[in-house]
Protein backbone atom coordinates (compact mmCIF):
# COMPACT_ATOMS: atom_id res chain seq x y z
CA UNK A 1 0.00 0.00 0.00
CA UNK A 2 1.13 3.49 -0.75
CA UNK A 3 -0.08 6.25 1.56
CA UNK A 4 -0.88 9.08 -0.81
CA UNK A 5 -2.26 11.52 1.72
CA UNK A 6 -2.77 11.82 5.43
CA UNK A 7 -4.61 14.62 7.17
CA UNK A 8 -5.55 15.35 10.75
CA UNK A 9 -9.33 15.38 11.14
CA UNK A 10 -10.17 16.14 14.76
CA UNK A 11 -9.51 15.47 18.46
CA UNK A 12 -12.32 14.00 20.49
CA UNK A 13 -12.76 13.84 24.26
CA UNK A 14 -16.33 12.53 24.54
CA UNK A 15 -18.16 9.55 23.17
CA UNK A 16 -20.85 11.75 21.66
CA UNK A 17 -18.20 13.18 19.36
CA UNK A 18 -16.73 9.87 18.15
CA UNK A 19 -16.69 9.89 14.36
CA UNK A 20 -18.96 7.74 12.26
CA UNK A 21 -16.97 6.98 9.15
CA UNK A 22 -17.66 5.14 5.93
CA UNK A 23 -14.11 3.82 5.66
CA UNK A 24 -12.31 1.13 7.66
CA UNK A 25 -11.27 2.44 11.07
CA UNK A 26 -7.81 1.44 12.30
CA UNK A 27 -6.93 2.27 15.91
CA UNK A 28 -3.49 2.57 17.47
CA UNK A 29 -3.18 1.86 21.17
CA UNK A 30 -0.41 1.27 23.66
CA UNK A 31 1.07 2.69 26.80
CA UNK A 32 2.21 6.28 27.04
CA UNK A 33 5.45 7.03 25.26
CA UNK A 34 5.52 3.72 23.36
CA UNK A 35 5.56 5.59 20.05
CA UNK A 36 1.94 5.73 18.82
CA UNK A 37 2.10 9.26 17.43
CA UNK A 38 5.57 8.64 15.97
CA UNK A 39 4.27 5.57 14.12
CA UNK A 40 1.45 7.65 12.64
CA UNK A 41 3.98 10.21 11.41
CA UNK A 42 6.16 7.43 10.02
CA UNK A 43 3.25 5.81 8.15
CA UNK A 44 2.19 9.22 6.82
CA UNK A 45 5.76 10.18 5.91
CA UNK A 46 5.23 13.40 7.80
CA UNK A 47 7.23 14.78 10.71
CA UNK A 48 4.54 16.64 12.60
CA UNK A 49 1.18 15.20 11.62
CA UNK A 50 0.66 13.67 15.07
CA UNK A 51 2.16 15.45 18.03
CA UNK A 52 4.94 13.43 19.67
CA UNK A 53 6.44 14.14 23.04
CA UNK A 54 9.25 13.14 25.33
CA UNK A 55 6.81 13.70 28.19
CA UNK A 56 4.56 10.65 28.43
CA UNK A 57 0.81 11.01 28.51
CA UNK A 58 0.47 13.95 26.13
CA UNK A 59 -2.19 12.42 23.91
CA UNK A 60 -5.29 12.43 26.14
CA UNK A 61 -7.82 12.54 23.37
CA UNK A 62 -8.78 10.32 20.49
CA UNK A 63 -7.11 11.93 17.49
CA UNK A 64 -8.52 11.03 14.09
CA UNK A 65 -6.54 11.09 10.84
CA UNK A 66 -7.74 10.54 7.30
CA UNK A 67 -5.31 8.27 5.47
CA UNK A 68 -7.32 8.14 2.26
CA UNK A 69 -8.16 4.44 2.20
CA UNK A 70 -8.83 4.30 5.93
CA UNK A 71 -9.31 6.42 9.04
CA UNK A 72 -6.71 6.11 11.75
CA UNK A 73 -7.48 6.79 15.42
CA UNK A 74 -4.62 7.58 17.81
CA UNK A 75 -5.86 6.50 21.24
CA UNK A 76 -4.67 8.02 24.51
CA UNK A 77 -1.80 6.09 26.09
CA UNK A 78 -2.29 4.01 29.20
CA UNK A 79 -0.11 3.00 32.13
CA UNK A 80 1.28 6.41 32.89
CA UNK A 81 2.10 6.33 36.61
CA UNK A 82 1.93 10.07 37.24
CA UNK A 83 -1.66 10.34 36.14
CA UNK A 84 -4.30 10.72 38.89
CA UNK A 85 -6.79 7.96 39.68
CA UNK A 86 -9.66 10.03 38.32
CA UNK A 87 -7.79 10.61 35.12
CA UNK A 88 -7.02 6.87 34.77
CA UNK A 89 -10.69 6.12 35.28
CA UNK A 90 -11.61 8.68 32.63
CA UNK A 91 -9.14 7.04 30.25
CA UNK A 92 -10.64 3.60 30.87
CA UNK A 93 -14.15 4.87 30.26
CA UNK A 94 -13.16 6.66 27.06
CA UNK A 95 -11.48 3.54 25.69
CA UNK A 96 -14.37 1.31 26.60
CA UNK A 97 -16.78 3.74 24.95
CA UNK A 98 -14.56 3.90 21.89
CA UNK A 99 -14.52 0.13 21.42
CA UNK A 100 -18.20 -0.39 22.21
CA UNK A 101 -19.32 2.52 20.01
CA UNK A 102 -21.56 1.94 17.00
CA UNK A 103 -18.64 2.70 14.71
CA UNK A 104 -16.86 -0.65 14.71
CA UNK A 105 -13.08 -0.72 14.71
CA UNK A 106 -11.74 -2.73 11.78
CA UNK A 107 -8.32 -3.45 13.24
CA UNK A 108 -6.15 -2.39 16.16
CA UNK A 109 -2.40 -1.90 16.12
CA UNK A 110 -1.44 -2.59 19.72
CA UNK A 111 2.00 -1.15 20.42
CA UNK A 112 4.63 -2.41 22.87
CA UNK A 113 8.26 -1.36 23.30
CA UNK A 114 10.45 -4.08 21.75
CA UNK A 115 13.02 -3.72 24.54
CA UNK A 116 10.65 -4.52 27.38
CA UNK A 117 8.33 -7.34 28.26
CA UNK A 118 4.68 -6.33 28.01
CA UNK A 119 3.23 -4.80 31.17
CA UNK A 120 0.08 -5.85 33.01
CA UNK A 121 -1.73 -3.03 31.20
CA UNK A 122 -0.55 -4.35 27.82
CA UNK A 123 -1.80 -7.83 28.67
CA UNK A 124 -5.13 -6.39 29.86
CA UNK A 125 -5.45 -4.47 26.62
CA UNK A 126 -4.86 -7.59 24.50
CA UNK A 127 -7.22 -9.64 26.66
CA UNK A 128 -9.82 -6.95 26.20
CA UNK A 129 -9.43 -7.04 22.40
CA UNK A 130 -9.57 -10.85 22.47
CA UNK A 131 -12.67 -10.82 24.63
CA UNK A 132 -14.56 -8.49 22.33
CA UNK A 133 -13.24 -10.24 19.19
CA UNK A 134 -11.58 -7.07 17.92
CA UNK A 135 -8.87 -8.04 15.42
CA UNK A 136 -5.41 -6.76 16.30
CA UNK A 137 -1.73 -6.90 15.46
CA UNK A 138 0.96 -6.38 18.08
CA UNK A 139 3.56 -3.87 16.90
CA UNK A 140 6.90 -3.84 18.71
CA UNK A 141 8.24 -0.28 18.51
CA UNK A 142 11.68 1.34 18.77
CA UNK A 143 13.41 -1.57 17.01
CA UNK A 144 16.35 0.70 16.19
CA UNK A 145 17.24 0.51 19.89
CA UNK A 146 18.25 -3.16 19.68
CA UNK A 147 20.46 -5.13 17.31
CA UNK A 148 18.92 -6.61 14.17
CA UNK A 149 19.58 -10.16 15.36
CA UNK A 150 17.67 -9.50 18.61
CA UNK A 151 14.58 -8.29 16.75
CA UNK A 152 13.55 -11.79 15.64
CA UNK A 153 14.08 -13.15 19.14
CA UNK A 154 12.12 -10.34 20.81
CA UNK A 155 9.18 -10.79 18.43
CA UNK A 156 8.99 -14.43 19.46
CA UNK A 157 9.28 -13.56 23.17
CA UNK A 158 6.61 -10.87 22.98
CA UNK A 159 4.35 -13.23 21.03
CA UNK A 160 4.74 -15.85 23.74
CA UNK A 161 3.73 -13.29 26.34
CA UNK A 162 0.39 -12.73 24.63
CA UNK A 163 0.04 -16.38 23.58
CA UNK A 164 0.05 -15.39 19.91
CA UNK A 165 2.37 -16.46 17.11
CA UNK A 166 5.39 -14.32 16.32
CA UNK A 167 3.92 -13.67 12.85
CA UNK A 168 1.31 -11.59 14.71
CA UNK A 169 4.08 -9.43 16.16
CA UNK A 170 5.57 -6.90 13.76
CA UNK A 171 8.74 -5.00 14.62
CA UNK A 172 9.01 -1.36 13.59
CA UNK A 173 11.19 1.68 14.00
CA UNK A 174 9.57 5.03 13.34
CA UNK A 175 13.03 6.53 13.50
CA UNK A 176 14.53 4.50 10.61
CA UNK A 177 11.38 3.23 8.90
CA UNK A 178 12.37 -0.37 9.58
CA UNK A 179 9.34 -2.66 9.35
CA UNK A 180 7.04 0.02 7.94
CA UNK A 181 6.54 -2.08 4.77
CA UNK A 182 5.28 -5.00 6.86
CA UNK A 183 2.73 -2.80 8.63
CA UNK A 184 1.49 -1.42 5.30
CA UNK A 185 1.27 -4.99 3.98
CA UNK A 186 -0.80 -5.97 7.00
CA UNK A 187 -3.10 -2.96 6.54
CA UNK A 188 -3.47 -3.85 2.87
CA UNK A 189 -4.66 -7.29 3.89
CA UNK A 190 -7.00 -5.91 6.56
CA UNK A 191 -8.54 -3.45 4.08
CA UNK A 192 -9.01 -6.09 1.38
CA UNK A 193 -10.85 -8.35 3.84
CA UNK A 194 -12.96 -5.38 4.94
CA UNK A 195 -13.88 -4.53 1.35
CA UNK A 196 -14.70 -8.16 0.49
CA UNK A 197 -17.01 -8.37 3.52
CA UNK A 198 -18.51 -4.99 2.74
CA UNK A 199 -19.41 -5.99 -0.81
CA UNK A 200 -20.72 -9.35 0.36
CA UNK A 201 -23.15 -7.54 2.66
CA UNK A 202 -24.14 -5.19 -0.17
CA UNK A 203 -24.83 -8.16 -2.47
CA UNK A 204 -26.91 -9.89 0.20
CA UNK A 205 -28.92 -6.71 0.70
CA UNK A 206 -29.60 -6.51 -3.04
CA UNK A 207 -30.85 -10.09 -3.13
CA UNK A 208 -33.13 -9.39 -0.20
CA UNK A 209 -34.65 -6.37 -1.86
CA UNK A 210 -35.46 -8.37 -4.98
CA UNK A 211 -37.53 -10.88 -3.08
P1 LIG B 1 1.63 9.41 24.31
O1 LIG B 1 0.93 10.24 23.28
O2 LIG B 1 2.15 10.19 25.44
O3 LIG B 1 0.81 8.26 24.77
O4 LIG B 1 2.97 8.81 23.62
P2 LIG B 1 3.12 8.10 22.21
O5 LIG B 1 2.88 6.66 22.37
O6 LIG B 1 2.33 8.81 21.17
O7 LIG B 1 4.69 8.27 21.94
P3 LIG B 1 5.41 9.30 20.97
O8 LIG B 1 5.21 8.93 19.55
O9 LIG B 1 5.09 10.69 21.39
O10 LIG B 1 6.95 8.96 21.28
C1 LIG B 1 7.48 9.04 22.59
C2 LIG B 1 8.98 9.19 22.53
O11 LIG B 1 9.57 8.02 21.94
C3 LIG B 1 9.46 10.36 21.65
O12 LIG B 1 10.59 10.93 22.28
C4 LIG B 1 9.84 9.69 20.34
O13 LIG B 1 10.83 10.40 19.63
C5 LIG B 1 10.36 8.34 20.81
N1 LIG B 1 10.18 7.30 19.77
C6 LIG B 1 9.02 6.93 19.21
N2 LIG B 1 9.20 5.96 18.29
C7 LIG B 1 10.54 5.71 18.26
C8 LIG B 1 11.37 4.81 17.51
O14 LIG B 1 10.95 4.03 16.66
N3 LIG B 1 12.72 4.84 17.79
C9 LIG B 1 13.24 5.68 18.72
N4 LIG B 1 14.56 5.61 18.93
N5 LIG B 1 12.49 6.54 19.44
C10 LIG B 1 11.17 6.57 19.21
MG1 LIG C 1 0.89 10.32 21.27
Amino acid sequence: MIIKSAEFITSVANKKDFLMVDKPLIAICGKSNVGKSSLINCLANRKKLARTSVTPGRTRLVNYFDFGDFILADLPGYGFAQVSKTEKQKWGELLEEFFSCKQKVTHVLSLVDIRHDPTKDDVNMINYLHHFSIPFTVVATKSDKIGKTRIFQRRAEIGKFFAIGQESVLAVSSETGYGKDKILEKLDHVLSVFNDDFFKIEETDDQDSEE
Side-chain angles (χ1 to χ4, degrees):
M1 180 196 299
I2 299 163
I3 307 286
K4 291 184 209 90
S5 65
E7 296 301 331
F8 172 72
I9 309 173
T10 186
S11 292
V12 167
N14 294 301
K15 71 170 173 185
K16 67 171 175 42
D17 299 320
F18 285 151
L19 293 192
M20 292 302 290
V21 292
D22 55 2
K23 294 179 186 179
L25 177 64
I26 310 291
I28 294 195
C29 69
K31 66 181 208 186
S32 281
N33 216 38
V34 72
K36 297 177 292 298
S37 303
S38 302
L39 179 63
I40 289 173
N41 290 336
C42 171
L43 293 175
N45 244 334
R46 297 258 296 271
K47 282 211 165 73
K48 287 181 180 167
L49 180 64
R51 203 166 139 193
T52 63
S53 174
V54 282
T55 326
R58 285 306 289 267
T59 316
R60 305 231 172 123
L61 307 160
V62 177
N63 290 314
Y64 289 93
F65 300 87
D66 189 345
F67 269 70
D69 292 332
F70 59 94
I71 302 294
L72 206 146
D74 185 11
L75 302 181
Y78 52 75
F80 179 46
Q82 282 160 45
V83 160
S84 71
K85 236 182 171 174
T86 337
E87 194 126 11
K88 273 186 193 160
Q89 201 175 343
K90 261 208 232 148
W91 173 89
E93 282 166 16
L94 189 72
L95 262 258
E96 214 152 288
E97 284 159 0
F98 179 81
F99 284 115
S100 60
C101 160
K102 222 171 141 201
Q103 172 68 57
K104 290 283 163 268
V105 178
T106 311
H107 200 84
V108 176
L109 299 177
S110 191
L111 274 49
V112 294
D113 189 318
I114 199 159
R115 297 168 295 174
H116 311 301
D117 283 338
T119 63
K120 216 170 133 195
D121 289 324
D122 292 325
V123 175
N124 283 343
M125 186 74 226
I126 295 295
N127 286 344
Y128 180 91
L129 296 173
H130 254 309
H131 183 79
F132 290 99
S133 306
I134 303 164
F136 65 87
T137 300
V138 172
V139 175
T141 63
K142 310 195 184 183
S143 293
D144 56 285
K145 299 257 195 187
I146 64 172
K148 283 234 163 83
T149 46
R150 283 272 294 147
I151 292 179
F152 189 74
Q153 199 182 348
R154 284 303 294 156
R155 280 177 60 205
E157 284 166 5
I158 291 167
K160 243 189 193 166
F161 234 95
F162 294 124
I164 55 172
Q166 69 155 335
E167 69 287 345
S168 302
V169 182
L170 301 180
V172 75
S173 164
S174 300
E175 200 91 350
T176 65
Y178 173 90
K180 179 179 165 177
D181 53 338
K182 293 279 181 282
I183 295 186
L184 291 176
E185 234 171 66
K186 180 76 204 181
L187 291 179
D188 240 341
H189 178 70
V190 166
L191 299 197
S192 69
V193 172
F194 176 90
N195 288 330
D196 284 353
D197 285 353
F198 187 74
F199 287 119
K200 251 184 245 151
I201 293 165
E202 294 250 297
E203 277 165 24
T204 319
D205 282 354
D206 281 353
Q207 281 163 11
D208 283 352
S209 60
E210 276 167 23
E211 279 169 14

